[in-house]
Amino acid sequence: MTLPGPAPRDPIPALRDLLGERLVTSEAARAQHAENEAWYPAALPDAVARPASTQEVSRLLALCHAAGTPVVAQGARSSLEGHHLAIRGGIALDLTGMDRVLAVHAEDLDAVVQPGVTREALNAHLRDTGLFFPIDPGANATLGGMAATRASGTTAVRYGTMREAVLALEVVQADGTVFRTGSRARKSATGYDLTHLFVGSEGTLGIITELTLRLFGQPEAQSAAICRFPSVAEAVATVIATIQMGLPIARIELVDAMMVRGFNLHADAGLPEEPHLFVEFHGSESGVTETAALFGEIAADHGGQAFRWSQKPEERRALWSMRHNAHHATRRLRPGARTVSTDVCVPISALAEAVAVAQEEGRARGLVQAIVGHVGDGNFHCGILVDPEDAGEMKRVKEFTDLLSDLALRLGGVVSGEHGIGMGKIGKMEAQHGPALATMRAMKEALDPKGILNPGKLLP
C-alpha cells in the first residue's frame, strides 16, 4: 500500500487529519516519550501518535513510508537498551491505547490481545478462568513490547520465553501492508516461520498490532524458598544438580552479595550479605512439598544455609516483589547514579566462571555493581552504577561490558539473553552472528527498504 503522487515533505498534517487530538506535538508529550530507565540521553521524537486500531497503524505507516519519516513503536518504555528511543526523530508510535483482550479460548489455552495490553492486565482478565500467562520480565511491560524484544524473565526455566509463548501475530509492514503470521493451531509445517522472525525483531521489520498467546493452567499449589551460600560457585552447583535431577522448578534466581545489600537498603530485607538463591515451585500440594524438601537437601549438599520455604501467598509475593525491584534496589548502592544494566547468557556449566569474572573485572575497574541471574537458563544481569557525565568512568564501563560480551561468546553463549540489542549492543552483532548478519540485513531491506522502522537499532 503506497500513496499516489509525490511524497509529502512532512507527514504530520496528514497524520493530524488521521488521528486528530491523538497526534501530539507538545514539548511535554515528546519529552515523556524521549526518556528511558537506563542511562541513554533523551531522544525527542517530532510527534507522538496514539493509534486505536490496526487500520490507523496501517495508514500512519503508509504516510510515513511515503515521506521517509522514521517510526519507533513504544509500549511501556521499560526496555533497558534504548530500543524505544527515537534517536533520528520522527514519530513515536505509542501503542498503549490498543489495550483490549480480544478473545480468550479457555479450552485451547490461548488468548488474542492487542499490543498495548500489559502482562498484569491480561492476568487480571484471566483470573476467573483458572488460566494465566506466565512470562514475567519483572516490569509490567506491554505484550507487544515483550514480543518485539523476545522478553523472558524469572519463569523462563519452567514456561519458556516469548519465543515459545507467541502462536500468531498480526503485523503491519513499513509501507502499511497488513498481514498475519501463524495461527491458533499448535503445530504447523506450512512454510517459513514468519511469526518468530518478528518476535525479537525490536520493531525494525514491522509493527505488531495483534498477538495470539499461549496460556497455562494455574498450578494447584505454589511455594517459594530462599537459601544462602558461601559462594556463587556453590549456588550455581546447586542449580545444576537441581536441573539434572529433573525437579520441576518454576523460578530459580541468583543474587550476589552486593544485590543483597541493595535489597537490605531498599526493602529492609535483613538478609545476610552473601549469595542467595530465590526459588519457586509449582504443582500439586504434595508435589510442591516434596520438591521443596528435595531442593533443600541438594542445597545443603552444596553448602546452602538457612533454607526456608513457604506456601503463604503473602510471603511468596513479598519475595518476588523484592526481586522484581532489583533495578531500583541497585540504585540504593550509589544514590544519584544512573544504571547501566547489561546481560549475557552462557551454558549453565559456564555460569559460575562467567559471574566470577564479571565480579573480578568490575572490582578491578572500581565499578559499583550488583548481579542477579536467571540461573536456570544461564542468563545473568549486571547493574552498574555510573555518572554519565564522568567520561573516565563511562570508558571503564564500556570496557567492562565489551569484556563481558566477549567472555560470553568465548564460553559458547550470547551477548544478550534477555535485554536485547537496541542501541547498547549493536556493536557486538558482527561478533555474535558473523556472515549471518548479511542475511539479517537482506531481510531488513526486503521488509523496510526505506529504513523507517526504528532506525539505528539492532543492525549496525
Side-chain angles (χ1 to χ4, degrees), residues 151-216:
S152 52
T154 57
T155 58
V157 66
R158 173 71 176 267
Y159 298 102
T161 72
M162 287 300 285
R163 179 180 63 187
E164 290 77 33
V166 177
L167 296 171
L169 295 171
E170 179 183 74
V171 177
V172 184
Q173 245 175 262
D175 65 357
T177 302
V178 181
F179 62 94
R180 291 182 175 272
T181 74
S183 74
R184 292 178 50 234
R186 292 304 175 101
K187 294 170 67 176
S188 173
T190 57
Y192 297 126
D193 185 355
L194 294 181
T195 300
H196 294 101
L197 174 63
F198 287 93
V199 174
S201 63
E202 301 186 5
T204 63
L205 300 180
I207 304 298
I208 296 169
T209 53
E210 187 181 293
L211 306 90
T212 302
L213 300 171
R214 188 188 307 264
L215 305 178
F216 289 81

Side-chain angles (χ1 to χ4, degrees), residues 247-451:
L247 294 191
I249 299 293
R251 312 184 204 233
I252 187 160
E253 298 285 295
L254 170 72
V255 297
D256 77 346
M258 285 294 287
M259 189 69 259
V260 173
R261 182 180 299 176
F263 290 145
N264 289 340
L265 291 170
H266 183 70
D268 195 23
L271 296 173
E273 292 182 4
E274 297 180 273
H276 281 65
L277 289 178
F278 297 172
V279 190
E280 186 166 279
F281 314 101
H282 292 179
S284 65
E285 293 282 353
S286 60
V288 160
T289 301
E290 181 182 358
T291 301
L294 287 170
F295 177 82
E297 293 174 9
I298 295 170
D301 289 343
H302 292 90
Q305 302 172 41
F307 173 74
R308 62 184 192 274
W309 70 284
S310 174
Q311 287 184 269
K312 294 180 179 178
E314 63 274 16
E315 293 182 359
R316 189 167 48 81
R317 282 194 296 269
L319 177 67
W320 296 113
S321 175
M322 180 171 66
R323 167 62 185 87
H324 286 330
N325 279 307
H327 183 67
H328 303 292
T330 300
R331 291 180 173 178
R332 294 294 301 273
L333 297 172
R334 186 180 167 185
R338 300 291 296 272
T339 305
V340 173
S341 186
T342 189
D343 83 308
V344 295
C345 190
V346 298
I348 298 174
S349 60
L351 184 62
E353 177 186 350
V355 172
V357 171
Q359 291 175 319
E360 180 183 340
E361 294 293 341
R363 282 192 297 266
R365 288 166 174 76
L367 302 177
V368 178
Q369 68 166 337
I371 293 177
V372 297
H374 312 311
V375 285
D377 49 28
N379 182 206
F380 71 97
H381 309 254
C382 298
I384 311 154
L385 284 305
V386 303
D387 175 4
E389 302 301 318
D390 185 336
E393 184 172 53
M394 292 305 294
K395 180 182 178 182
R396 296 195 303 275
V397 170
K398 180 67 163 59
E399 290 173 353
F400 173 78
T401 56
D402 283 348
L403 180 147
L404 194 61
S405 293
D406 294 341
L407 173 68
L409 293 173
R410 179 173 63 79
L411 294 174
V414 293
V415 300
S416 178
E418 188 170 70
H419 290 183
I421 300 301
M423 297 159 56
K425 292 193 173 175
I426 198 167
K428 291 295 178 182
M429 285 290 280
E430 187 141 7
Q432 179 71 66
H433 294 288
L437 194 60
T439 303
M440 294 186 186
R441 287 198 177 102
M443 292 177 183
K444 171 72 171 174
E445 176 68 22
L447 292 168
D448 181 19
K450 292 189 176 181

Side-chain angles (χ1 to χ4, degrees), residues 21-87:
E21 293 182 354
R22 290 178 288 118
L23 191 284
V24 185
T25 56
S26 70
E27 187 77 17
R30 292 164 58 221
Q32 180 186 9
H33 289 75
E35 297 297 334
N36 66 103
E37 291 192 9
W39 62 276
Y40 298 102
L44 281 171
D46 298 318
V48 177
R50 298 187 173 107
S53 67
T54 297
Q55 292 71 27
E56 287 185 345
V57 173
S58 172
R59 183 61 179 159
L60 179 148
L61 283 177
L63 289 165
C64 291
H65 181 262
T69 299
V71 179
V72 181
Q74 296 188 349
R77 304 190 299 278
S78 55
S79 60
L80 296 173
E81 294 289 357
H83 304 78
H84 63 278
L85 294 178
I87 58 174

Side-chain angles (χ1 to χ4, degrees), residues 129-149:
T129 67
L131 305 176
F132 81 120
F133 180 73
I135 312 302
D136 181 2
N140 186 25
T142 60
L143 294 164
M146 287 172 62
T149 56

